[in-house]
Amino acid sequence: MHPIPHSRPLLGKREGAAVLRVLRLGHVGMGSETERLEADAARLCGVRGAVAFSSGTTAFAAGLLALRLPPRSRVLVPSMACAAFLQGCRLAGMRPVPFDVDPETCLPDPADARRRSRGARAAILFHPFGLPADPDRLPRGLEILEACGHALGTRLGARTVGSLGRFSYASLHATKPACGAEGGFLASDDGRLLARAHDLRDCDERQDPGFRFSARLADICAALARVQISRLPEFRRRRRAIARRCAEALRGTDVRLPPDRPDAPHAWYRFLAFSPRPAGEALRAFERAGIAARRPVYWPLHRILGLRGFPGAEQAWKRLVSIPIHPSLTEREIRRILSAAREAFPPARPGTL
């Protein structure tokens, strides 16, 4: 019985042909393919332009620097998110300030975000695991920085995900909805911010001694990412179909699932099941079946920083289970996952539904 990974990109002949084309040209570093990726990313987010980087974390840090906030400015970050949020703030010389989240959806807890916003200059709008988040859940008067990678190609009402803040950014890592092996991009309608971010990307052939990165994205990664971005609608349909089957398999249990509203369709980057029992029990059941289910994040950000007072994020980390629904799953693998899900989450007790 082969193991089923939590994430696996769906790669095919088009991706292979795109990479081979770059190899045959003999220019695998940053060039015309990266420029085309930037145009694709801007269209996808519905904004003026984009700048490609070697990672999503570097793109985020460059965006923060391009805002020209005072050093050590406070930036609100959701606690139930990956450590890249902390590292991007630190790389830009900013101070990350976690806020709490709704335990079942990981959307921002508006009251807690407001309570922690004193002295803050910016806040991250995170679409947790594919569920679009409304910027109105964050305190007013702050720069909204949109982490859009989990929900690329979706919308919030009439607005496109990726256009909801001063800038947006996304990772193109191998585990993300659009895979470039590595890489990321920053997108914005602000021409000056884009120009500053572009200048920050490359430290070579500059006369002034200002701080810059060496964070160029190779054409070989850009070519792969461009094909993946063009396939996002296909990937979302596939993820949605698998998510529906998972939801059906869990009917009759006391597991709760995230909402999927017509005006804010879920991208289903992850399928999160909120269990009334500790997540460890379900994770062990999946492990016995050879399936790599996971907690949504390795460690909440407030725990990394040694902070307390985040009951929503604590409950989310202890109760949420992320079940594989990546589009590369075969029918046999899907059936194994559904069977394991029924074993991992027992039927609801009378009166609990």
Side-chain angles (χ1 to χ4, degrees):
M1 182 173 62
H2 73 276
I4 300 175
H6 190 229
S7 296
R8 183 176 61 206
L10 179 56
L11 305 173
K13 292 181 180 179
R14 290 177 59 196
E15 286 85 355
V19 171
L20 185 58
R21 183 180 67 250
V22 174
L23 291 175
R24 285 173 173 163
L25 289 172
H27 184 92
V28 298
M30 188 175 70
S32 60
E33 205 63 35
T34 300
E35 292 178 358
R36 294 187 184 101
L37 171 64
E38 291 171 339
D40 291 347
R43 282 192 295 271
L44 178 66
C45 295
V47 294
R48 176 176 179 173
V51 184
F53 284 85
S54 57
S55 73
T57 303
T58 311
F60 172 44
L64 281 173
L65 289 168
L67 284 174
R68 296 186 173 174
L69 300 175
R72 296 288 295 165
S73 288
R74 292 162 60 92
V75 178
L76 297 182
V77 299
S79 185
M80 199 62 179
C82 73
F85 287 19
L86 297 185
Q87 303 307 333
C89 287
R90 288 166 171 168
L91 192 58
M94 303 295 146
R95 181 183 172 189
V97 179
F99 60 82
D100 208 4
V101 300
D102 178 274
E104 295 186 26
T105 65
C106 296
L107 291 170
D109 178 329
D112 191 73
R114 283 194 302 271
R115 183 170 67 85
R116 301 178 190 274
S117 66
R118 184 175 181 180
R121 301 294 294 269
I124 294 180
L125 179 68
F126 174 47
H127 305 296
F129 317 105
L131 181 63
D134 193 325
D136 287 344
R137 297 180 73 96
L138 296 175
R140 294 184 182 277
L142 303 181
E143 295 280 14
I144 301 300
L145 319 177
E146 186 183 0
C148 66
H150 289 190
L152 282 174
T154 56
R155 57 185 173 80
L156 183 74
R159 304 175 68 185
T160 303
V161 163
S163 68
L164 304 177
R166 181 73 179 278
F167 69 78
S168 63
Y169 68 98
S171 170
L172 299 169
H173 181 64
T175 62
K176 295 301 187 288
C179 164
E182 293 290 352
F185 66 80
L186 175 149
S188 179
D189 272 326
D190 186 331
R192 289 186 178 181
L193 186 145
L194 290 169
R196 292 170 190 159
H198 193 279
D199 181 66
L200 283 164
R201 181 174 62 187
D202 192 352
C203 62
D204 196 17
E205 298 182 1
R206 299 289 196 275
Q207 292 184 355
D208 69 272
F211 172 81
R212 293 180 177 86
F213 301 105
S214 179
R216 293 168 293 184
L217 180 67
D219 265 15
I220 196 167
C221 293
L224 174 58
R226 290 189 66 217
V227 176
Q228 288 273 291
I229 285 175
S230 73
R231 298 182 67 187
L232 275 172
E234 167 198 347
F235 294 163
R236 287 196 303 273
R237 288 192 297 271
R238 177 71 171 159
R239 288 179 182 276
R240 179 174 292 277
I242 300 171
R244 285 174 176 165
R245 294 176 66 178
C246 281
E248 181 63 29
L250 293 174
R251 183 175 295 179
T253 71
D254 49 12
V255 164
R256 294 192 289 276
L257 306 178
D260 188 18
R261 308 195 320 260
D263 63 328
H266 204 305
W268 295 110
Y269 170 57
R270 302 289 192 213
F271 185 95
L272 302 188
F274 185 89
S275 172
R277 286 169 287 280
E281 298 177 16
L283 293 174
R284 286 188 289 273
F286 279 106
E287 184 179 10
R288 289 192 294 270
I291 297 164
R294 294 281 185 266
R295 299 180 192 273
V297 299
Y298 183 74
W299 212 239
L301 302 189
H302 71 272
R303 284 197 176 195
I304 294 175
L305 295 173
L307 302 175
R308 296 183 179 181
F310 296 80
E314 280 289 318
Q315 193 175 6
W317 188 79
K318 292 175 180 178
R319 303 292 186 181
L320 283 172
V321 176
S322 178
I323 302 171
I325 58 166
H326 45 84
S328 67
L329 290 169
T330 66
E331 179 58 32
R332 179 175 294 182
E333 289 174 329
I334 293 171
R335 288 198 296 266
R336 279 179 55 193
I337 290 169
L338 300 181
S339 176
R342 286 187 285 265
E343 291 293 324
F345 302 106
R349 295 183 294 273
T352 61
L353 286 178

